[in-house]
Amino acid sequence: SIIGNGESGLSIPYGSPFDQGLAITQAELTARQLLISKSGPVSHYELHKPGRQPEPGNALRDINGAMYTVWKPVWFGKEVFHVPLPGGAAYATAAKQLKFVKKIDYFNVAQKYCAVYTKPDGSALVVLWSLKSDQPFTFDFTAPVKMVNTYGRESDLPAGKAKLNLKEAPVYLTVKMPAKQLAEDLKKALNEQSPQFAFSAFFTAP
């Protein structure tokens, strides 16, 4: 069956700092919402109230909850200014990276999550994140990798062993490798590098 992910939004206090704390958490969760929706039988996704403009005489207090994920409206006299938030960059990056991709696999190992897609040009898109910050993960890529962080900043990784530090913020990796085999190899590597796997192997090895 197909479902729709409508009116999705994450409310944080209106007075939250623009570039730290809950605004960062809001951005990370928004990106992960998009990834999970893209990996499931979801027909559409709607980011609810990305930057609704309040009436001048009804300005929000700092403690009021607000779903302003993309822009935060701030009144100065009779003028309203829209301040960009981290969630806007996270949403734009996810939408750009996931455009026209097809899901190959989606799985998690010890709270480390991985989604693998194919792009129209035949390259593979790997997205990795963790529910805990600073989780080391090493993987041997047979081709150069284009890495994009949650907010759209790009960097290049050479072919070979890459040492990644998985966090709550997803990282997007595009590489010219067969996506299905890549998904299997990633799952194996995540299992081998998880504490549960190492503990089990120690007590079950001959």
Side-chain angles (χ1 to χ4, degrees), residues 2-41:
I2 302 294
I3 59 175
N5 192 353
E7 294 195 6
S8 295
L10 300 165
S11 180
I12 63 175
Y14 177 77
S16 299
F18 297 110
D19 58 355
Q20 59 184 299
L22 288 176
I24 297 297
T25 301
Q26 183 185 47
E28 294 168 349
L29 291 175
T30 297
R32 281 151 49 184
Q33 277 186 339
L34 282 162
L35 287 160
I36 293 169
S37 295
K38 189 68 175 181
S39 300

Side-chain angles (χ1 to χ4, degrees), residues 35-176:
L35 287 160
I36 293 169
S37 295
K38 189 68 175 181
S39 300
V42 178
S43 62
H44 65 278
Y45 173 94
E46 177 205 349
L47 180 62
H48 196 51
K49 295 183 180 179
R52 181 175 62 87
Q53 181 172 317
E55 294 298 324
N58 190 28
L60 290 171
R61 294 185 298 165
D62 285 350
I63 61 173
N64 291 143
M67 291 185 184
Y68 303 142
T69 308
V70 178
W71 303 283
K72 177 179 178 177
V74 179
W75 280 98
F76 286 96
K78 295 182 178 181
E79 291 188 271
V80 64
F81 297 86
H82 290 82
V83 180
L85 296 175
Y91 183 92
T93 301
K96 180 179 179 180
Q97 292 296 315
L98 297 175
K99 182 173 61 176
F100 303 128
V101 302
K102 294 183 179 179
K103 188 196 82 170
I104 296 299
D105 207 349
Y106 171 79
F107 53 89
N108 77 87
V109 177
Q111 296 188 319
K112 300 182 185 73
Y113 285 76
C114 178
V116 181
Y117 310 90
T118 55
K119 288 189 169 183
D121 65 357
S123 60
L125 172 65
V126 176
V127 192
L128 293 163
W129 71 94
S130 173
L131 296 187
K132 295 181 179 179
S133 282
D134 301 321
Q135 297 297 305
F137 177 58
T138 302
F139 190 78
D140 194 3
F141 291 98
T142 60
V145 179
K146 174 70 72 176
M147 182 167 67
V148 181
N149 74 3
T150 298
Y151 307 105
R153 179 170 294 178
E154 298 182 359
S155 56
D156 295 310
L157 301 178
K161 188 169 292 186
K163 294 183 178 180
L164 304 173
N165 188 27
L166 306 187
K167 300 176 179 289
E168 292 93 336
V171 60
Y172 305 86
L173 308 168
T174 298
V175 59
K176 288 282 188 180

